[in-house]
Amino acid sequence: MATAREIHRHMKSVKNIGQITKAMKMVAAARLRKAQERAAASRPYAIKIKEVLSNIVGDKGTLSGLDPRKHPLLQKRPVKKVGFLVMCSDKGLAGAYGSNVLKHAMSEIMKVNGEVTIITCGRRARDFFRHRGFNVLKSHYGFSDKPSYNNAVEVAYDAAQRFAGGEFDELRIVYTLFKSALAQMPTAEVILPLEPPKAEAPKAGEAQVKTNTEYLFMPEAEDILADLAPRYLETVVYAALVQSAASELGARMTAMSSATDNAAKLVKSLELNYNKARQAQITRELTEICGGAEALKQN
Amino acid sequence: MANLMQLEIVTPDKYFIKRDNVVYAGFEALDGGFGVFANHMPAIAALKDAPFKYRDSNNEEHFIYLSGGFAEIVKNKITILSILAEAAEDIDLERAHAALERAESRIANFTVDLNIKRAEAAKARALGRIRTVELSMAAKMR
């Protein structure tokens, strides 16, 4: 059995680690709240832009007269090369968050028969795919837990360029959908070529108004679409980034919370062992003294 | 009153403004400027990096800088989607001038590794901001 002093040292280190994980948990909780606020704040814009896009596409005669060469992001090609945009964290200590999304990405990649190229967001994703010898076209990092809209613009622009340049014929995004701090779901979706949202199924009463609206386009619908398509892609990427960030922070919070609990439990059991060891030492010393006294008496 | 319009400006990070007493709105679309009064026909426009103006029922004119974006006009409701919106009062004129100078010098000293598109976009943004402030000042002088 370890000596009392050794146990004491162990206890101290466990306590320290517990304090650190507790601090990390609180930081993650505060940031999670911010991330959730940001996700909520970005929703109206995303919904609106989707609406405008479906209004343009839904307009009579727009789609039929569409020149696909003018809209590289809408262009459908036979899928030979598949691109994956994988979003993960920059740092670890977030429980199974990273490995869950990367595992999901791997299983999606395995389903593809054809060439696979990868764009990553977050250092963890980059390292993961580099080590496995994948073709990583580009890695974005440094903003996994606090994405700004400009980050999304950068990622979307890069992806759009590569798509238009034929580096892949389809782009799928793999990110983590935030359900709650305890539940996150890795998700994969095709984001390029852009699938214009279908005009929503008309609700009762609203139906007449929607179908009768005919828009005046300034400039031509085609030109607006050329401008709108990349913007729409940005919002899709931004939404995914924000979801991933919230998931990362949620996962980190839960992981750190259970680490803190675990540290407290460990300290408790160490304390018990420490007291036992201390008691054993006292008993031993006492018997040694008594034994010594007895021996002296006999002389 | 029947000839008022609603106005919403939405950016990715927030609801920028929401008004329901707009009399007139002036846009600069990619193919030229246009103005909107109440009962305008439904329209969708792609906007330039430029000032946007609206006049409310108190006859006050407001100028807002928009970094591109889209405007949808349906049933007396104007919705503007823009990545960035700044009210004239919030624009830092000095910074805009500095940005303009920087962008211009970058374009003038063209080198191969220069991202010319980015420099030109920066120039357009700075010009848009400056014009917004100037227009707003001019409107106040009147």
Side-chain angles (χ1 to χ4, degrees), chain A:
Chain A
M1 192 166 170
T3 64
R5 189 186 294 184
E6 274 168 7
I7 296 174
H8 192 69
R9 206 183 293 139
H10 192 177
M11 262 168 66
K12 242 165 61 187
S13 86
V14 171
K15 266 186 197 159
N16 278 338
I17 292 172
Q19 267 165 349
I20 292 170
T21 56
K22 198 170 167 193
M24 289 178 79
K25 170 190 155 190
M26 288 194 290
V27 169
R31 285 209 185 146
L32 172 63
R33 216 185 43 239
K34 258 190 229 156
Q36 275 174 306
E37 277 164 17
R38 209 157 25 201
S42 72
R43 217 159 285 143
Y45 183 83
I47 292 171
K48 252 310 173 192
I49 207 161
K50 213 172 187 176
E51 238 176 76
V52 173
L53 186 60
S54 73
N55 280 341
I56 293 183
V57 174
D59 193 70
K60 286 163 218 144
T62 316
L63 256 195
S64 51
L66 216 60
D67 180 1
R69 270 165 305 173
K70 255 182 126 174
H71 303 287
L73 296 187
L74 298 171
Q75 208 173 69
K76 284 204 175 86
R77 301 187 287 244
V79 180
K80 283 186 203 127
K81 287 181 271 182
V82 182
F84 279 87
L85 176 57
V86 183
M87 291 180 178
C88 192
S89 57
D90 280 335
K91 290 174 198 149
L93 290 180
Y97 166 75
S99 80
N100 277 348
V101 66
L102 293 173
K103 241 188 262 165
H104 192 75
M106 273 313 265
S107 76
E108 288 292 320
I109 288 168
M110 289 308 174
K111 282 187 218 156
V112 175
N113 45 4
E115 208 179 311
V116 169
T117 50
I118 289 166
I119 299 173
T120 61
C121 287
R123 286 196 186 88
R124 299 240 127 194
R126 178 194 65 186
D127 297 346
F128 180 89
F129 288 110
R130 275 220 185 124
H131 285 155
R132 280 162 185 74
F134 281 96
N135 181 5
V136 179
L137 293 174
K138 169 96 186 164
S139 52
H140 305 271
Y141 51 83
F143 51 79
S144 79
D145 57 351
K146 44 179 189 321
S148 74
Y149 194 78
N150 281 339
N151 297 133
V153 170
E154 200 182 303
V155 174
Y157 180 75
D158 174 70
Q161 289 296 93
R162 289 173 197 280
F163 178 74
E167 288 184 53
F168 36 76
D169 307 307
E170 186 180 285
L171 183 65
R172 297 183 200 173
I173 190 168
V174 183
Y175 67 103
T176 313
L177 200 63
F178 181 82
K179 296 240 152 129
S180 73
L182 292 171
Q184 297 98 24
M185 211 170 66
T187 315
E189 280 163 20
V190 176
I191 56 167
L192 281 174
L194 280 181
E195 192 62 57
K198 296 272 175 300
E200 278 166 45
K203 288 171 209 137
E206 210 182 333
Q208 282 305 310
V209 190
K210 276 250 162 174
T211 42
N212 282 346
T213 326
E214 258 189 64
Y215 285 96
L216 172 70
F217 290 109
M218 288 171 284
E220 291 301 305
E222 282 220 348
D223 299 324
I224 297 184
L225 193 56
D227 221 29
L228 189 57
R231 289 292 100 73
Y232 177 63
L233 180 65
E234 281 165 13
T235 62
V236 173
V237 171
Y238 185 58
L241 279 177
V242 169
Q243 288 288 327
S244 295
S247 301
E248 179 190 337
L249 293 167
R252 177 161 300 136
M253 196 178 83
T254 349
M256 288 302 112
S257 161
S258 63
T260 311
D261 292 350
N262 200 28
K265 226 189 269 167
L266 193 54
V267 166
K268 235 181 187 169
S269 85
L270 282 173
E271 211 166 290
L272 191 67
N273 282 341
Y274 171 71
N275 286 340
K276 273 186 195 161
R278 192 172 55 106
Q279 199 56 56
Q281 200 185 345
I282 292 169
T283 315
R284 196 170 60 241
E285 278 169 12
L286 271 180
T287 35
E288 274 165 14
I289 292 170
C290 291
E294 278 308 311
L296 283 176
K297 222 183 263 174
Q298 278 170 12
N299 286 340

